[in-house]
Amino acid sequence: MIERLISTARSYLPDLNEARLRDAFEFARAAHEGQLRKDGTPYITHPVSAAIILTGLRVDEDTLIACLLHDVPEDTERTLDDIEERFGDKVRFLVDGITKLSKVHYRDDMEARQIESLKKLFIHSAQDPRIIIIKLADRLHNMQTIEAVPKPEKRHRIAKETLEIYVPIANLLGIWEVKNQLEDACFRVLLPREYAEMIRLVEASEKERESVRKKTIQAVTRLLRAKKVPFVAIEGRQKNLYSIYKKMLRSGKSFHEIYDLLGVRIVVEDIGTCYQTLGILHQHFTPKIGRLKDYIAIPKSNGYQSIHTTVFGMNGIVTEFQIRTQEMHLENEYGIAAHYFYSNKKQTTLKKDVKKKYKWVQKILDLQRNISSNRKFLEHLKLDIFEDRIFVFTPKGDVVDLPRGANVIDLAYHIHSDLGMLAVSAQINGKPAPLTTQLSSGDTVHVVTSEESDGPQMEWLDHVHTHLAKTRIREFLKEQDRTTVLDDAEEVLDHKLQVLGLAGMTALTPLQKVVAMEHFGIETWEELLYELGKGNVDLSELLGCLFNESDLIGSETDLLDVHVYDRHQARRLKSESIQKVHRVELVIESQNRVGLLRDLSNELANLGINIIAIQSLPRPNSSLSRMEFILEIFDVKEYERTLRSLRKVDGVVSITRVQNELSIPLSLDDVQKKRVQ
Ligand code: MN
């Protein structure tokens, strides 16, 4: 087996250090000595098979070596340090990325480990995509040999997990070969009867069409040669069984209606030749109307490029041709792997590398958005992957890694303190946005600065998330003069109270003030405000002294059934002490428009807020509509966040809390905008 691996690797890696690869094999073989796979073969067959799968993607030497070693630290006496000593720090990094992941071997707390390790997979892979590529090969070989796993439930579980996590990853990374094989292996385990039926159908129809395919390829070869059009390859295409099966289910069509299409792919040197080839095909075969798709001029959103045309081909059989260049072909078939391993050969500027990284992270983030399934497990995944970190982009395409919850101000300080000092507003994904806007992964953020800027505002302290930004803002505020500081503090506190549905500063009783002064050990109310203005007193803490949570968002209710809601469970993981929840009733007044309710619910869903009830309230003689929402809110911060998000929804005019019937005015963001102007 090792000889096969070496000779395949040598065929595409002219500089391959054979001795080093062989050494890795020996190292792994010795480490796994005596261990057997479930099917009784020596353990070493697994990493070697996975490495052979990787040669299909034409990966580099370090990747092959890391693959050979991928189970060593996890399952043997040999450590990562041993690996580094012998194979260098790059190989160590790759193996490390995999090792942490494979601690997930379905023991007691499989789900938590699963999430944890996937998070690591993404974060490590964002630094080096080779890690995820090795992981996919590892999983593919495990799926190919899954028959050896004795328990059917376990086979099922692994297959399901593969289908729900690794197939989408391979799909998004565009590694089709691996994706199709993984998918069919899962199909075989999960739906054995349907799988067998598909095999039977495909084999039966292949027999018939094999000769037609040959004839078609011969005919096209002759045509192109006659016109002196150079080509790289003309080949048949294999569709994957699972996708045909899914298409049958989806469309309700029979196998023959779907699979009758004969697929032929033509790979040529350059784009000009693609169109030339298309012309020749259309001259010779009658094209089907409406079936010409030019994904070269207009690539698919995932970057896929090719020309597709369906024609009445040989013997009248409907044939789909795909025409593309060699470069597109590599990219289409190998996706991220093509990016990583082949584009290096061409002249790559630094800029291109950045772009490459951008694309990779972007795809991972898209994956995070797109993973969808009814299974609760994936709900958790969505909730928890990247829970702690977000990735945003500067207009130049640099990736900035920030803690979740960070806003534009955090980003500005993260980039440079001057940027924080001069920031006045922002453009997020090309749209103007206030500085306090919380950023989401994948946002492209341009921080707008002005020399006229008043500098950091005290209320920023209430919004920023990073220690760095807080420190810098405090430093600035300390230098401000007393009156400005006091004015600012008053304004901020007043506004905050209003946002929370209270009557502003006037609502404060002397007793409340005294309680707060005692809490902070400050003699006078003015001094307290001054300290607030300088950022030495935390606004949330002050509010906590002035009011109970129940004053702010109504009384607590026991959670009815903590296990009903995912979000509660997720929270509970973090803080076992959270047992109470507030029932908050809001009346939302808004312009009548289609989709409003959907937008409001979406906004709440994004925040993870549970809706207990929604009711439409009558509103005679008005074009406005009124709806009552009953929500479950954990704390004041969440309440504020919720109000802020709901106010942003198009058409919303006012939000009122039922309990005190106080209308909640302008949002903080609006105030911010006014300041900016
Ligand atoms: Mn493995």
Side-chain angles (χ1 to χ4, degrees):
M1 266 177 104
I2 178 66
E3 296 311 324
R4 200 178 126 209
L5 172 64
I6 289 173
S7 71
T8 321
R10 206 195 297 125
S11 70
Y12 71 90
L13 289 173
D15 304 332
L16 178 75
N17 183 341
E18 261 186 58
R20 190 162 169 255
L21 193 58
R22 210 178 284 275
D23 190 34
F25 168 76
E26 282 305 330
F27 184 89
R29 199 191 48 73
H32 289 296
E33 187 73 66
Q35 294 173 351
L36 295 178
R37 293 275 289 172
K38 285 260 161 51
D39 59 9
T41 54
Y43 195 88
I44 187 69
T45 55
H46 164 63
V48 177
S49 303
I52 289 173
I53 290 171
L54 287 177
T55 58
L57 298 177
R58 303 170 62 193
V59 304
D60 62 12
E61 186 179 308
D62 276 352
T63 309
L64 292 175
I65 288 175
C67 182
L68 287 174
L69 303 173
H70 81 266
D71 280 327
V72 165
E74 178 87 11
D75 299 337
T76 79
E77 301 287 302
R78 299 308 192 107
T79 64
L80 282 167
D81 288 337
D82 297 335
I83 288 173
E84 178 168 356
E85 197 185 315
R86 197 133 154 194
F87 302 101
D89 56 345
K90 294 204 176 75
V91 170
R92 182 207 172 109
F93 180 78
L94 297 176
V95 177
D96 190 16
I98 303 288
T99 303
K100 282 178 181 155
L101 300 170
S102 45
K103 277 193 180 135
V104 206
H105 272 319
Y106 326 114
R107 286 183 213 108
D108 29 330
D109 197 1
M110 159 195 149
E111 197 162 296
R113 243 177 231 165
Q114 185 82 17
I115 291 164
E116 197 45 42
S117 68
L118 276 164
K119 217 155 106 183
K120 269 171 194 147
L121 175 71
F122 285 153
I123 289 166
H124 275 83
S125 301
Q127 288 175 60
D128 194 330
R130 291 178 296 177
I131 291 170
I132 205 169
I133 293 171
I134 300 172
K135 182 69 196 173
L136 288 173
D138 173 36
R139 178 52 65 112
L140 178 54
H141 183 246
N142 284 336
M143 283 306 301
Q144 285 169 345
T145 53
I146 197 163
E147 293 304 310
V149 173
K151 280 191 197 148
E153 314 88 70
K154 192 171 172 185
R155 287 202 298 268
H156 238 84
R157 199 169 64 219
I158 297 172
K160 254 185 152 167
E161 180 197 275
T162 306
L163 201 56
E164 287 171 346
I165 296 170
Y166 294 100
V167 167
I169 290 177
N171 184 35
L172 274 151
L173 301 184
I175 308 174
W176 303 117
E177 184 60 27
V178 172
K179 183 226 150 202
N180 290 343
Q181 288 190 41
L182 275 176
E183 210 167 47
D184 281 352
C186 295
F187 184 31
R188 186 173 178 180
V189 173
L190 295 173
L191 298 165
R193 284 223 326 267
E194 290 80 354
Y195 178 83
E197 177 63 9
M198 293 305 296
I199 290 273
R200 194 186 65 75
L201 287 168
V202 169
E203 275 172 4
S205 81
E206 275 309 297
K207 251 183 229 157
E208 291 168 27
R209 67 178 61 223
E210 194 44 45
S211 69
V212 183
R213 174 178 291 133
K214 260 191 195 150
K215 267 197 221 164
T216 305
I217 292 175
Q218 278 168 7
V220 174
T221 306
R222 269 199 306 274
L223 273 171
L224 294 181
R225 285 205 177 124
K227 303 266 181 186
K228 298 211 164 35
V229 174
F231 57 86
V232 179
I234 302 175
E235 59 200 14
R237 282 184 292 123
Q238 190 74 51
K239 282 209 169 168
N240 87 316
L241 300 176
Y242 188 58
S243 73
I244 302 169
Y245 172 74
K246 272 194 302 192
K247 210 166 176 185
M248 283 167 66
L249 276 189
R250 233 188 2 249
S251 64
K253 287 182 181 165
S254 73
F255 174 80
H256 288 285
E257 282 172 279
I258 288 170
Y259 198 62
D260 263 3
L261 210 71
L262 188 73
V264 173
R265 177 181 296 143
I266 304 170
V267 181
V268 298
E269 287 292 344
D270 53 45
I271 292 178
T273 316
C274 290
Y275 290 103
Q276 206 182 345
T277 306
L278 176 70
I280 292 168
L281 290 176
H282 280 190
Q283 268 174 14
H284 196 80
F285 301 108
T286 309
K288 255 188 125 173
I289 289 170
R291 295 298 297 273
L292 170 63
K293 305 236 166 64
D294 185 352
Y295 297 120
I296 291 181
I298 305 162
K300 284 193 190 181
S301 58
N302 63 6
Y304 176 90
Q305 285 194 297
S306 190
I307 295 172
H308 293 188
T309 184
T310 306
V311 303
F312 297 96
M314 303 294 290
N315 298 10
I317 289 198
V318 178
T319 306
E320 186 192 62
F321 286 103
Q322 299 184 345
I323 312 161
R324 53 180 68 168
T325 66
Q326 174 83 334
E327 199 184 346
M328 290 168 193
H329 184 58
L330 281 177
E331 164 98 35
N332 293 344
E333 296 301 298
Y334 301 128
I336 190 91
H339 261 273
Y340 193 86
F341 296 109
Y342 322 134
S343 56
N344 288 342
K345 285 178 190 151
K346 281 171 266 140
Q347 282 212 328
T348 16
T349 62
L350 199 68
K351 229 181 185 171
K352 231 180 170 178
D353 279 328
V354 170
K355 236 178 148 183
K356 219 158 56 189
K357 193 173 176 193
Y358 173 93
K359 207 169 171 182
W360 156 253
V361 177
Q362 191 67 56
K363 280 184 170 174
I364 283 293
L365 298 173
D366 286 347
L367 169 73
Q368 186 205 344
R369 276 194 281 274
N370 294 341
I371 283 180
S372 65
S373 150
N374 296 327
R375 285 187 65 208
K376 219 173 173 184
F377 169 60
L378 288 178
E379 291 299 317
H380 279 287
L381 205 80
K382 254 185 171 172
L383 252 167
D384 279 294
I385 285 182
F386 288 106
E387 173 92 330
D388 328 323
R389 310 298 295 174
I390 56 168
F391 295 95
V392 299
F393 303 100
T394 69
K396 283 182 196 154
D398 291 329
V399 183
V400 182
D401 176 10
L402 290 166
R404 178 158 298 278
N407 61 24
V408 183
I409 305 164
D410 290 300
L411 171 72
Y413 279 105
H414 185 92
I415 296 172
H416 199 279
S417 359
D418 286 349
L419 200 57
M421 293 297 289
L422 300 176
V424 287
S425 67
Q427 294 235 318
I428 300 176
N429 305 321
K431 290 196 194 115
L435 290 171
T436 47
T437 312
Q438 270 199 18
L439 299 173
S440 310
S441 273
D443 282 344
T444 299
V445 188
H446 172 56
V447 181
V448 180
T449 56
S450 161
E451 290 293 335
E452 323 266 270
S453 159
D454 293 339
Q457 307 294 311
M458 197 200 79
E459 65 176 39
W460 286 8
L461 283 173
D462 200 39
H463 294 275
V464 295
H465 209 78
T466 55
H467 185 68
L468 177 76
K470 268 198 183 123
T471 316
R472 293 273 180 277
I473 295 167
R474 285 210 183 101
E475 280 167 10
F476 174 84
L477 293 174
K478 283 204 178 104
E479 291 164 11
Q480 298 289 292
D481 70 277
R482 190 172 172 93
T483 3
T484 325
V485 172
L486 276 174
D487 283 354
D488 274 3
E490 233 170 278
E491 192 189 328
V492 165
L493 180 59
D494 191 62
H495 182 72
K496 179 83 171 194
L497 294 173
Q498 289 191 29
V499 165
L500 290 168
L502 299 157
M505 291 271 277
T506 53
L508 295 178
T509 65
L511 180 66
Q512 282 173 308
K513 292 181 183 174
V514 169
V515 171
M517 279 146 59
E518 269 177 13
H519 174 87
F520 288 100
I522 295 173
E523 298 284 310
T524 65
W525 177 246
E526 191 188 290
E527 202 55 32
L528 180 60
L529 284 177
Y530 182 63
E531 292 302 321
L532 175 70
K534 287 204 301 179
N536 296 331
V537 161
D538 182 71
L539 183 56
S540 306
E541 198 182 337
L542 175 60
L543 283 171
C545 298
L546 295 171
F547 301 98
N548 294 323
E549 278 206 336
S550 60
D551 294 333
L552 295 173
I553 50 175
S555 55
E556 289 173 333
T557 321
D558 287 318
L559 282 184
L560 293 179
D561 177 1
V562 118
H563 297 286
V564 175
Y565 309 114
D566 288 353
R567 138 184 124 90
H568 298 163
Q569 284 182 345
R571 291 284 181 92
R572 271 158 54 92
L573 288 178
K574 272 179 235 144
S575 159
E576 278 298 325
S577 64
I578 297 178
Q579 307 269 343
K580 301 281 190 180
V581 68
H582 300 268
R583 285 278 152 81
V584 177
E585 297 182 38
L586 296 175
V587 171
I588 299 179
E589 210 171 25
S590 58
Q591 249 109 42
N592 265 319
R593 73 168 173 88
V594 178
L596 178 78
L597 185 57
R598 183 200 57 210
D599 291 349
L600 290 169
S601 323
N602 273 351
E603 206 58 56
L604 291 166
N606 288 341
L607 289 162
I609 301 289
N610 190 42
I611 306 174
I612 307 276
I614 301 177
Q615 194 189 349
S616 201
L617 302 172
R619 171 96 201 198
N621 311 325
S622 170
S623 64
L624 298 178
S625 72
R626 291 178 72 187
M627 278 178 286
E628 184 183 64
F629 279 72
I630 305 180
L631 308 174
E632 280 193 346
I633 307 267
F634 271 102
D635 54 28
V636 178
K637 278 221 143 121
E638 185 169 271
Y639 177 55
E640 245 196 284
R641 239 193 333 268
T642 307
L643 291 181
R644 212 180 295 149
S645 302
L646 291 178
R647 276 199 214 95
K648 274 192 226 149
V649 173
D650 225 29
V652 169
V653 176
S654 80
I655 303 178
T656 315
R657 209 178 80 217
V658 171
Q659 209 160 3
N660 57 6
E661 281 294 357
L662 271 177
S663 189
I664 297 156
L666 273 182
S667 71
L668 267 181
D669 297 340
D670 294 335
V671 171
Q672 194 76 20
K673 265 183 228 155
K674 281 191 182 143
R675 286 200 165 179
V676 167
Q677 293 153 6

